[in-house]
Amino acid sequence: DAEITQSPRHKITETGRQVTLACHQTWNHNNMFWYRQDLGHGLRLIHYSYGVQDTNKGEVSDGYSVSRSNTEDLPLTLESAASSQTSVYFCASSETSPTSEQFFGPGTRLTVL
Amino acid sequence: GENVEQHPSTLSVQEGDSAVIKCTYSDSASNYFPWYKQELGKGPQLIIDIRSNVGEKKDQRIAVTLNKTAKHFSLHITETQPEDSAVYFCAASPFSGGYNKLIFGAGTRLAVHP
C-alpha cells in the first residue's frame, strides 16, 4: 500500500546544529508540504513543493529550507537549530487537484536544547 | 493572507450528545474547506470537506455547513462515541492556480465521556 513516512520519529539536538528531517511518499504525488504543530497554533505551513525542483515558502519558513530532487522525497533542513524550533513536524502529500486530500505522515518530534 | 480562527479550543461532551466546532476565515477567495481529525500520536486525517458552491454536506454522523456570506463553517458530530475523541482541525484553501495549500485553524480537542 502507498504510504508517507517520516524519519526520525524523535530527535533531540543542540542549539546551532544543522538538522534534516526526512519525508518519503510512495503515492507518486506531485504536491508535498511541511507543517509544524505547536499548542495553540494548530498546523502552520513551513514550505511546500508542487513538483521536482519546485519549492515555495509558507507562513513560517524562516530558519528552514527544503529541496525537491525527486517526486518521492522532500527533506526539511533546519540550518541552525533554535529552541523556538522545538515542535512536532508533519509532512504531507497530495495530488495536484485543488481539492485533493492531503495525506499526512506520522510526525517527527524535535527537541532543541 | 488567509487567517482561520477555530472555536472552542476544547470541548467535552457525554456519549450520545452532539458536538459542534466553528471556524471563521478571512479570505473571501477561499473556496475549499476540509476538516481533519488527529488521533493521539498520529498525523491528521481528512474526515469531510466542503466546497464553496455547497451549503451543507453530510457523511453518516458528521456534517459540515458553510456560510460564505458570513465567512464561517462548522463541523457537526451527532451521537458522539468515545472513538470520536481527538483533535479536530478546520482549514481553508484559496481555490486558485490549481493548488491546494491549506491554512489551518488552531484545533479543537474533543473529549467524549462514556
Side-chain angles (χ1 to χ4, degrees), chain A residues 70-85:
Chain A
N70 58 53
T71 300
E72 296 79 19
D73 299 289
L74 187 69
L76 177 71
T77 297
L78 286 67
E79 306 294 345
S80 177
S83 58
S84 60
Q85 294 176 308

Side-chain angles (χ1 to χ4, degrees), chain B residues 18-19 21 38 42 47 61-62 68 74 77 80 85 89 92-93 95 100 102 114:
Chain B
S18 295
I21 302 170
Q38 184 180 25
K42 297 183 178 180
I47 55 171
R61 296 186 297 106
I62 61 173
K68 275 194 69 73
S74 301
I77 306 174
T80 54
S85 296
F89 293 98
S93 176
F95 201 103
N100 65 337
L102 295 177

Side-chain angles (χ1 to χ4, degrees), chain B residues 2 23 34 42 46 56 61 66 80-81 84 100-101 108:
Chain B
E2 176 64 278
C23 290
K42 297 183 178 180
L46 179 71
E56 183 176 3
R61 296 186 297 106
L66 172 64
T80 54
Q81 301 169 3
D84 294 329
N100 65 337
K101 184 174 69 172
T108 296

Side-chain angles (χ1 to χ4, degrees), chain A residues 29-31 33 35 48 50 93-103, chain B residues 29-36 46 48-53 91-104:
Chain A
H29 287 159
N30 283 326
N31 295 358
F33 308 85
Y35 298 90
Y48 55 103
Y50 292 136
S93 71
S94 76
E95 295 179 351
T96 54
S97 165
T99 58
S100 293
E101 175 180 358
Q102 289 191 18
F103 293 88
Chain B
S30 290
N31 279 350
Y32 173 63
F33 307 93
W35 286 87
Y36 283 77
L46 179 71
I48 194 168
D49 56 15
I50 191 168
R51 303 183 190 187
S52 62
N53 59 348
S93 176
F95 201 103
S96 60
Y99 303 133
N100 65 337
K101 184 174 69 172
L102 295 177
I103 303 300
F104 285 86

